[in-house]
Amino acid sequence: MKMLRKGYVAVVLVIPLGWIFVHQVWPSSHIWVPVLIQGDQTRGHGHSAILPPIYVITPTYQRPMQKAELTRLTNTFLHVANLHWIVVEDSQTKTPLVSRLLQESGLNHTHLNVMSPRNIDRRSIRGLSQRNLGLQWLRSTFNVRNPNPGVVYFADDDNTYSLELFDEMRWTQKVSVWPVAFAGSLRYESIKVNAKGKVYGWEVAYAPERPFGIDMAGFAVNLQLLLSKPNANFKLHPGLQEGSLLLDLVTLDDLEPKADNCTKVLVWHTRSQAPDLSGEARFKHSANLET
Amino acid sequence: MKMRLKLKSVFVLYFMVSLLGLIYALMQLGQRCDCTGHDIPKERVISRLRGELHRLQEQMRKSGEIQQPQKDPKSSLPTIFVITPTYARLVQKAELTRLSQTFLHVPQLHWIVVEDSNHKTPLVRDLLAKSGLTYTHLHVATAKERKLQEGDPNWLKPRGVEQRNEALHWLRQETHKQQGVVYFADDDNTYSLQLFEEMRNTQRVSVWPVGLVGGMKYEKPVVEGGKVVRFHTGWRPSRPFPMDMAGFAVSLKLVLANPDSWFDGMAPMGFLESSFLQGLVTMDQLEPKADDCSLVLVWHTRTEKPKMKREEALQAQGLGSDPHMEV
């Protein structure tokens, strides 16, 4: 009787050990496959259940270059795992060009539109209403009481983004920052980082007194932070739009420097030349191709 | 006796339940994990991801060294040889970066980058090595008298001639009996992915519309009955081939069979493309792509020279940006 009991005890102990073994060891290699870099040849993009999603907000407006810009942006974003593209048109309606492009892109996307107020100088408010609408969509889609991993990035449609940039921003806790090439009429604008890895100032020539001397392409915000501050929005401040949002979210001390303590350039503030269309005035196309 | 029996049945029940559970867990292997429900410590996730990233980067580096990662010997896809002349200027790295991101999507693509330089620059060398693409890195410096000077209008002297010819020379030396097509892709244009599939099976020379070129929304070959009959262009339509460099591709076979076909740097403005194509094909033989030339799949985009007035002002004071920071 005693022997039998010992046997039972031994087996009863062994079985849970087996479970613990299965639970701990096997999930580490086979079940979960993160996709960090695009490897396949299909038009799909990588999905990972582990990587925090990146929500990219891109304001866009109709002009001859638009389709080309959005096309090459698509080609870039297709490489980034768990990217959700929020495209906001400066338009009263969703245009067929952008609708079709997004549908055919293979990307996870949200298509929004809002017209910028016409009575204000276009240049000073470019993208303002559109970015705020993107923020509004995020706030109405995600419940702040849930855990919402993810980061939000404002990517204009004519800049150039390296793939490493998205790896750098993905794990942002509050607001992360990095250098931007060609911003503020410099080779690059950068961030002053001390020996302890803390941000203490800006390497900029344009308006150095700004509380946040950073270009739109030079920072990303943690999604939960944005959701927890429902009144943080972009405000009308020519040249200072970025700061108007960041002031509501963080202090200098909270900033997380990326790109090797802000010593590498991973994004370029490129601008495309307006194409010469002078020939159009004296020429009639027989067909109307979408360009 | 009753006690023993009861214990035994409990044990048997416990054993069966565990066994069933184990079988279930085994069946879950290979399925995508819904790990949001699991409490996986962040540090473990980060270290696993780092490991994965390192592994993938090593793979990419190795494939860059061998220069043939995508060349599956059993692949029957013709190779697209993309020839890109490039030169050092502020936006060079940005242009080549976004180009490489486009090309990474295209299977069986071999990028031939030719620098206008008398040596291979570290910027281009490192970019290509990290790109993950199959590539060849060449260089040839444009003769001084043929080079555009600061302030010259773009159309004054043709650009990229020596570089494209250098690439043609390399193709004629290094590729034989290969199925392929040759495309001249300048580093500031924009290419859709569909374009490459359209050109892949070119027999001689294939053609298609180009957006935002020649002062117009688009230029294109005019197709009737499946053949090109003339060209829709805003400027000098009487040229033998009034097309932009981005608007055609040539089969590798044709390039190799005509070793004396080159780009002529002395050709009059706008005749550069014709100087190459004239010896290769007649208009009649052109293969129209992109839905009988009704779709724009490539745009002749140009990037603005970035404004540097504050940089210049700072440099005058000896406070310019760190030249070691590669831009």
Side-chain angles (χ1 to χ4, degrees):
Chain A
M1 181 86 156
K2 254 191 184 158
M3 279 292 285
L4 213 59
R5 207 166 280 167
K6 264 192 193 157
Y8 286 154
V9 166
V11 176
V12 160
L13 284 176
V14 160
I15 287 176
L17 278 174
W19 272 106
I20 291 164
F21 172 80
V22 167
H23 186 263
Q24 292 294 321
V25 175
W26 280 2
S28 72
S29 49
H30 297 291
I31 299 177
W32 153 89
V33 181
V35 177
L36 292 164
I37 302 169
Q38 175 266 3
D40 58 15
Q41 307 289 9
T42 61
R43 289 287 301 275
H45 59 286
H47 171 85
S48 163
I50 293 277
L51 295 179
I54 300 179
Y55 298 93
V56 178
I57 297 179
T58 298
T60 186
Y61 65 101
Q62 201 168 19
R63 76 275 195 202
M65 281 294 302
Q66 183 186 38
K67 191 176 182 188
E69 303 281 33
L70 294 177
T71 298
R72 56 184 170 190
L73 258 195
T74 301
N75 294 343
T76 297
F77 293 159
L78 276 169
H79 290 294
V80 184
N82 276 14
L83 184 144
H84 188 113
W85 198 14
I86 303 168
V87 177
V88 195
E89 295 197 68
D90 184 346
S91 166
Q92 247 169 7
T93 58
K94 295 182 172 58
T95 62
L97 187 149
V98 176
S99 303
R100 225 184 346 253
L101 188 140
L102 288 175
Q103 274 155 29
E104 290 168 12
S105 68
L107 290 165
N108 269 346
H109 65 270
T110 294
H111 186 185
L112 305 170
N113 65 288
V114 64
M115 192 104 149
S116 294
R118 284 291 179 251
N119 54 334
I120 303 175
D121 168 33
R122 206 72 190 289
R123 267 191 339 162
S124 64
I125 55 152
R126 194 178 295 177
L128 184 101
S129 314
Q130 290 72 37
R131 293 185 192 102
N132 282 340
L133 186 64
L135 291 176
Q136 196 184 313
W137 180 86
L138 286 168
R139 286 170 178 141
S140 62
T141 304
F142 297 99
N143 187 335
V144 66
R145 282 189 288 274
N146 294 340
N148 292 298
V151 64
V152 181
Y153 182 53
F154 301 94
D156 289 349
D157 66 8
D158 54 358
N159 290 340
T160 304
Y161 310 93
S162 70
L163 300 182
E164 295 101 289
L165 178 71
F166 299 99
D167 294 334
E168 292 286 310
M169 72 172 73
R170 204 185 280 278
W171 304 95
T172 303
Q173 301 293 300
K174 287 190 176 156
V175 173
S176 52
V177 291
W178 49 78
V180 178
F182 315 142
S185 293
L186 292 175
R187 263 178 85 232
Y188 58 86
E189 277 187 341
S190 189
I191 291 101
K192 292 185 181 156
V193 182
N194 67 18
K196 295 198 191 108
K198 280 265 179 223
V199 175
Y200 68 95
W202 313 101
E203 278 184 24
V204 298
Y206 165 65
E209 69 284 358
R210 287 178 278 168
F212 288 93
I214 192 114
D215 182 80
M216 195 64 71
F219 69 93
V221 187
N222 176 281
L223 175 62
Q224 194 64 16
L225 177 64
L226 271 171
L227 299 176
S228 67
K229 307 231 168 138
N231 296 319
N233 275 311
F234 289 102
K235 297 160 203 62
L236 182 58
H237 274 302
L240 305 173
Q241 255 196 62
E242 296 84 353
S244 70
L245 172 74
L246 293 171
L247 273 169
D248 288 342
L249 293 172
V250 282
T251 62
L252 207 68
D253 208 53
D254 292 326
L255 297 177
E256 300 149 52
K258 301 288 181 183
D260 241 352
N261 266 349
C262 296
T263 57
K264 296 212 295 224
V265 168
L266 302 176
V267 58
W268 298 261
H269 195 283
T270 42
R271 294 177 58 96
S272 298
Q273 279 183 22
D276 168 20
L277 296 177
S278 54
E280 289 286 321
R282 53 177 190 273
F283 208 96
K284 193 179 185 312
H285 295 282
S286 53
N288 194 18
L289 271 57
E290 186 185 82
T291 53
Chain B
M1 188 77 157
K2 226 182 173 178
M3 273 292 285
R4 207 192 290 176
L5 214 61
K6 209 178 178 175
L7 202 62
K8 197 174 183 183
S9 56
V10 166
F11 165 73
V12 168
L13 195 68
Y14 182 64
F15 180 75
M16 289 308 294
V17 167
S18 299
L19 195 65
L20 286 170
L22 192 68
I23 292 167
Y24 174 77
L26 285 170
M27 279 167 56
Q28 289 305 305
L29 278 181
Q31 309 291 331
R32 196 185 279 162
C33 157
D34 175 22
C35 292
T36 48
H38 297 253
D39 188 24
I40 301 175
K42 200 174 34 177
E43 294 73 24
R44 188 141 56 97
V45 167
I46 288 171
S47 70
R48 270 186 216 156
L49 285 169
R50 283 215 176 99
E52 188 72 30
L53 182 63
H54 181 75
R55 193 178 61 78
L56 287 165
Q57 280 175 338
E58 277 308 308
Q59 268 180 20
M60 268 170 54
R61 220 166 278 135
K62 280 200 191 105
S63 60
E65 281 161 10
I66 306 168
Q67 292 187 17
Q68 291 184 50
Q70 295 161 21
K71 217 165 261 181
D72 172 11
K74 296 191 206 103
S75 168
S76 57
L77 275 184
T79 304
I80 301 179
F81 292 93
V82 177
I83 296 176
T84 298
T86 186
Y87 65 103
R89 75 275 197 201
L90 281 168
V91 295
Q92 182 187 37
K93 191 177 183 188
E95 302 283 38
L96 294 177
T97 297
R98 56 185 171 186
L99 252 197
S100 69
Q101 291 162 359
T102 293
F103 295 159
L104 266 172
H105 291 292
V106 184
Q108 281 304 110
L109 183 145
H110 186 127
W111 197 15
I112 305 172
V113 177
V114 196
E115 295 198 68
D116 184 350
S117 166
N118 49 25
H119 66 281
K120 289 181 187 168
T121 62
L123 186 149
V124 176
R125 184 193 62 215
D126 295 342
L127 188 142
L128 289 174
K130 284 190 216 153
S131 66
L133 292 163
T134 306
Y135 68 88
T136 294
H137 185 185
L138 306 170
H139 66 93
V140 64
T142 305
K144 213 170 172 192
E145 63 273 14
R146 292 236 269 254
K147 240 188 143 124
L148 277 178
Q149 301 305 318
E150 187 79 35
D152 279 349
N154 279 324
W155 45 262
L156 195 65
K157 290 169 192 155
R159 265 209 297 235
V161 178
E162 282 87 337
Q163 290 72 38
R164 293 187 194 96
N165 284 338
E166 179 72 13
L168 288 173
H169 177 76
W170 181 89
L171 281 171
R172 286 163 179 152
Q173 299 281 102
E174 302 294 330
T175 64
H176 308 281
K177 291 187 190 172
Q178 233 177 319
Q179 261 210 303
V181 62
V182 181
Y183 182 53
F184 300 94
D186 289 349
D187 67 5
D188 55 355
N189 290 340
T190 304
Y191 309 91
S192 71
L193 301 182
Q194 197 184 338
L195 178 71
F196 299 98
E197 297 322 310
E198 293 284 318
M199 71 173 72
R200 203 183 280 280
N201 291 301
T202 302
Q203 301 299 305
R204 288 200 176 97
V205 175
S206 54
V207 291
W208 48 77
V210 177
L212 308 176
V213 71
M216 310 234 286
K217 272 170 50 190
Y218 60 84
E219 282 187 339
K220 74 185 216 61
V222 176
V223 178
E224 277 164 25
K227 289 227 174 269
V228 176
V229 294
R230 64 183 176 279
F231 292 89
H232 171 91
T233 168
W235 189 78
R236 291 226 201 150
S238 56
R239 292 174 279 162
F241 293 96
M243 292 191 289
D244 183 78
M245 197 66 70
F248 67 91
V250 186
S251 77
L252 180 63
K253 201 166 148 199
L254 201 63
V255 169
L256 298 178
N258 292 277
D260 295 323
S261 276
W262 305 98
F263 287 97
D264 181 4
M266 303 303 284
M269 183 175 91
F271 284 77
L272 190 62
E273 293 83 357
S274 302
S275 71
F276 177 60
L277 291 170
Q278 264 174 173
L280 296 176
V281 75
T282 63
M283 180 158 73
D284 199 59
Q285 296 170 321
L286 294 174
E287 299 149 55
K289 302 287 180 184
D291 225 359
D292 269 353
C293 296
S294 64
L295 299 173
V296 171
L297 302 175
V298 57
W299 297 262
H300 193 273
T301 45
R302 300 186 57 95
T303 305
E304 264 183 24
K305 192 170 164 201
K307 296 189 179 72
M308 286 289 122
K309 62 176 200 283
R310 291 197 181 90
E311 178 76 39
E312 283 152 13
L314 283 174
Q315 282 187 6
Q317 300 166 38
L319 298 167
S321 60
D322 178 4
H324 295 297
M325 188 125 143
E326 190 183 78
V327 154

